[in-house]
């Protein structure tokens, strides 16, 4: 199996910074690291498994209803993830609220199934799905790291900026908590990445 | 095989949907018990939180068990109060399984809105939950409240002194208030301001006022969250409304 199937989506073909897909949830769930990490894991599992399943049944899918079939498969995995989170990670599922359900509309998933799962063998599809989920998750976690650190002074809910800083007049930056800051941070990430890979940009 | 024929497409779609639906139904049924417990524990924790109890829930090895034990230990009594202030039913044990705990503050809020809209007959349906919390040092009376915030529902629990004159502790939660602004109502900093405020003055219930730009009357005023005028006002409205319906009970108790 070609190693690039796994490597490309993480940096070079990253779904968020290069393909600019899945931005909506990246804005919403990156205020704190914990929900961002759970979201990243959830999306990785859903992209991987749905790509795998669609690829497994790809020869039987009637062409005219293939988008509907893909949607059913994706929706099934999303609801499974949602139910399991509600049962075993209730606090996180509350923080993620509607965004778990909205994984269905995450363009990365449908995009990868259409572009890869529908035409390739199951195993490479699984790897491609997982890698795209990881690429998405990587950006989410980086953004959430900065937003939580500067917005709340914590990481994973633990205080990291010492109290003496606050006593000396340091304040949490409220802008980092607001959604626009996620967009600015993603913009910065894209900028940094593009400046290293000039030859790829068209 | 020709996968483009109409019959094939229809049969394929039907089978796929039936399989997926069956699978999801099984998962949903088998996880329902655990999910319901989570919701229950959340409510227990908030009721305890208003009385400054169950503070170690995060560090407890089994959060659910810890909260359930604390709840059973401290919340000794619960009952339903009607619109006239009469105690309808009283329960002394296994509070979690009893009616006061099962009452949805949201439904009661809908009824209150009906009453405010002029529908006096809705008053008969009103059922207000009251919890009695007994610690070695004191007895507290915990009342519920629920309302509309800026973006979504807000709710909370007020823990009052035994004679129902002062607030001993309060807890608010919200679904989707703005982080850093409206969401600050769920912080200790905002909530602790309510401690010791008078709600009963000369026999009249006078709810706490949430004011901007400095408290002038420290007896029953607290500072609003800066930058979150709407949410602060909504919190005040919520407390005012619920205390109005609890008033007959408070007066009767006095």
């Amino acid at each position: 199996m070609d190693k690039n199937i796994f490597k490309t989506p993480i940096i070079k073909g990253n779904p968020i910074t290069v393909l600019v897909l899945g931005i909506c949830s990246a804005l919403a769930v990156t205020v704190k690291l914990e929900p961002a990490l759970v979201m990243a894991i959830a999306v990785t599992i859903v992209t991987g498994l749905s790509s795998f399943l669609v690829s497994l049944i790809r020869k039987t899918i009637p062409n005219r209803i293939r988008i509907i079939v893909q949607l059913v498969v994706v929706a099934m995995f999303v609801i499974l993830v949602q139910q399991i989170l509600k049962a075993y990670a209730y606090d996180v599922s509350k923080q993620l609220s509607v965004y778990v359900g909205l994984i269905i509309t995450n363009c990365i998933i449908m995009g990868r199934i259409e572009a890869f799962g529908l035409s390739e063998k199951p195993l490479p599809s699984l790897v491609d799905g997982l890698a795209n989920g990881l690429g998405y998750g990587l950006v989410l976690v980086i953004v959430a790291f900065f937003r939580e650190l500067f917005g709340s002074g914590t990481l994973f809910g633990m205080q990291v900026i010492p109290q003496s800083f606050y006593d000396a007049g340091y304040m949490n930056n409220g802008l980092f908590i607001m959604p626009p800051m996620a967009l600015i941070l993603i913009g910065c990430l894209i900028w940094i990445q593009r400046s290293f890979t000039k030859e790829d940009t068209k | 095989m020709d996968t483009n024929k109409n019959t094939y497409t229809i049969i394929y779609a039907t089978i796929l949907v039936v399989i997926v639906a069956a699978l999801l139904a099984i998962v949903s049924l088998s996880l329902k018990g655990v999910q319901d417990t989570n919701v229950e524990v959340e409510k227990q924790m908030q009721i305890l939180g208003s009385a400054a109890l169950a503070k170690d829930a995060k560090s407890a090895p089994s959060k659910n068990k810890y909260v359930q034990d604390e709840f059973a230990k401290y919340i000794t009594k619960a009952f339903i109060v009607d619109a006239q202030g009469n105690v309808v039913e009283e329960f002394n044990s296994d509070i979690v399984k009893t009616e006061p705990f099962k009452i949805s503050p949201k439904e009661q809020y809908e009824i209150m809105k009906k009453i405010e809209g002029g529908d006096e007959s809705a008053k008969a349906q009103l059922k207000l939950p009251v919890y009695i919390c007994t610690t070695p040092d004191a007895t507290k009376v915990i009342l519920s409240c629920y309302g509309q915030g800026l973006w979504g529902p807000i709710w909370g629990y007020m823990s009052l002194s035994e004679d129902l004159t002062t607030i001993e502790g309060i807890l608010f939660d919200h679904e989707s208030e703005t982080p850093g602004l409206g969401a600050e109502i769920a912080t200790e900093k905002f909530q602790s301001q309510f401690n010791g405020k008078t709600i009963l003055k000369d026999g009249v219930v006078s709810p706490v006022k949430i004011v901007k730009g400095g408290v002038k009357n420290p007896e029953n005023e607290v500072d609003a969250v800066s930058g979150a005028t709407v949410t602060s006002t909504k919190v005040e409205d919520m407390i005012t409304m619920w205390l109005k319906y609890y008033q007959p009970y408070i007066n009767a108790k006095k």
Side-chain angles (χ1 to χ4, degrees):
Chain A
M1 198 162 52
D2 191 357
K3 268 197 186 126
N4 283 333
I5 296 176
F6 186 76
K7 264 163 59 187
T8 312
I10 295 194
I11 308 276
K12 219 170 129 199
N14 188 292
I16 294 186
T17 59
V18 178
L19 306 177
V20 198
L21 294 175
I23 292 290
C24 156
S25 55
L27 301 187
V29 300
T30 50
V31 175
K32 295 256 157 75
L33 258 174
E34 197 188 354
L37 196 64
V38 174
M39 187 71 177
I41 295 169
V43 170
T44 307
I45 291 172
V46 173
T47 19
L49 290 183
S50 45
S51 245
F52 177 73
L53 190 62
V54 168
S55 163
L56 210 59
I57 58 171
R58 71 186 187 281
K59 283 183 184 138
T60 68
I61 297 176
N63 195 37
R64 275 179 296 173
I65 57 162
R66 67 170 204 286
I67 298 281
I68 300 174
V69 172
Q70 292 165 19
L71 259 180
V72 170
V73 170
V74 175
M76 179 186 78
F77 282 115
V78 170
I79 296 172
L80 282 179
V81 167
Q82 195 172 22
Q83 294 285 332
I84 291 169
L85 281 181
K86 257 195 198 153
Y88 300 108
Y90 184 68
D91 288 338
V92 180
S93 87
K94 252 189 10 184
Q95 286 176 40
L96 291 172
S97 65
V98 295
Y99 293 99
V100 182
L102 286 179
I103 296 178
I104 297 173
T105 61
N106 195 320
C107 328
I108 299 169
I109 301 172
M110 290 294 279
R112 287 330 291 173
I113 294 177
E114 267 290 295
F116 203 98
L118 216 52
S119 51
E120 303 284 332
K121 289 210 177 82
L123 219 53
S125 300
L126 176 70
V127 174
D128 176 76
L130 291 178
N132 272 285
L134 286 176
Y136 165 86
L138 183 69
V139 175
L140 234 61
V141 168
I142 294 174
V143 173
F145 174 83
F146 288 109
R147 287 184 75 187
E148 187 172 350
L149 182 64
F150 293 110
S152 315
T154 58
L155 286 178
F156 285 110
M158 310 270 270
Q159 194 70 38
V160 286
I161 295 182
Q163 189 58 41
S164 52
F165 276 49
Y166 290 99
D167 295 341
Y170 173 83
M171 272 170 83
N172 288 327
N173 188 335
L175 181 60
F176 274 81
I177 294 175
M178 311 296 269
M181 199 59 210
L183 209 56
I184 296 171
L185 282 173
I186 290 175
C188 293
L189 283 179
I190 295 177
W191 177 30
I192 294 168
Q193 185 177 358
R194 293 275 158 100
S195 63
F196 280 106
T197 55
K198 267 193 194 109
E199 70 276 20
D200 285 346
T201 48
K202 291 166 194 107
Chain B
M1 194 166 37
D2 181 11
T3 56
N4 280 323
K5 274 209 312 236
N6 278 349
T7 39
Y8 178 83
T9 308
I10 292 169
I11 294 171
Y12 190 91
T14 315
I15 294 175
L16 181 78
V17 168
V18 168
I19 294 175
V20 169
L23 184 78
L24 290 181
I26 293 168
V27 171
S28 163
L29 281 177
S30 53
L31 290 179
K32 194 164 187 311
V34 190
Q35 292 171 353
D36 288 349
T37 314
N38 285 337
V39 175
E40 259 176 36
V41 166
E42 167 93 10
K43 187 168 178 179
Q44 292 176 23
M45 202 162 92
Q46 293 187 339
I47 293 173
L48 288 170
S50 74
L53 294 167
K55 289 280 180 208
D56 308 323
K58 279 232 165 68
S59 55
S62 160
K63 184 185 141 194
N64 285 9
K65 181 146 190 347
Y66 169 80
V67 173
Q68 282 163 338
D69 287 350
E70 293 281 289
F71 192 82
K73 193 160 123 199
Y74 293 119
I75 307 296
T76 48
K77 218 193 279 179
F79 44 85
I80 300 170
V81 173
D82 66 11
Q84 282 74 44
N86 304 315
V87 174
V88 185
E89 263 181 292
E90 204 174 294
F91 300 91
N92 295 312
S93 61
D94 261 348
I95 308 262
V96 181
K97 293 194 185 69
T98 62
E99 213 193 330
F101 189 80
K102 295 227 161 88
I103 287 178
S104 142
K106 187 180 173 198
E107 279 164 27
Q108 303 310 312
Y109 173 69
E110 302 292 333
I111 297 175
M112 283 177 197
K113 276 207 305 203
K114 262 193 216 163
I115 301 173
E116 304 276 304
D119 181 5
E120 285 293 317
S121 62
K123 261 192 176 170
Q125 300 163 23
L126 200 65
K127 286 176 173 176
L128 302 166
V130 177
Y131 307 91
I132 305 292
C133 166
T134 321
T135 57
D137 322 320
T139 304
K140 290 172 188 171
V141 182
I142 300 175
L143 309 181
S144 182
C145 57
Y146 183 99
Q148 205 58 44
L150 175 57
W151 304 115
I154 49 175
W155 63 93
Y157 295 93
M158 300 173 262
S159 139
L160 308 180
S161 61
E162 200 178 358
D163 59 357
L164 298 170
T165 55
T166 35
I167 295 177
E168 300 262 302
I170 210 157
L171 183 140
F172 297 116
D173 203 358
H174 64 97
E175 197 176 280
S176 43
E177 297 309 298
T178 321
L181 299 172
E184 293 294 301
I185 60 164
T187 57
E188 179 92 37
K189 192 178 156 225
F190 178 69
Q191 292 165 6
S192 60
Q193 292 187 86
F194 285 85
N195 299 353
K197 301 289 169 195
T198 319
I199 59 150
L200 199 66
K201 209 178 168 194
D202 309 325
V204 183
V205 172
S206 58
V208 179
K209 292 196 174 54
I210 301 176
V211 295
K212 285 202 291 180
V215 173
K216 288 181 197 74
N217 178 8
E219 208 168 57
N220 71 343
E221 284 182 358
V222 299
D223 252 326
V225 179
S226 48
T229 314
V230 179
T231 308
S232 302
T233 317
K234 300 272 183 181
V235 170
E236 186 185 312
D237 291 349
M238 168 173 81
I239 303 176
T240 312
M241 185 160 166
W242 281 73
L243 282 179
K244 192 172 107 193
Y245 289 97
Y246 273 118
Q247 177 156 17
Y249 165 72
I250 296 175
N251 287 344
K253 182 92 186 284
K254 203 167 63 72

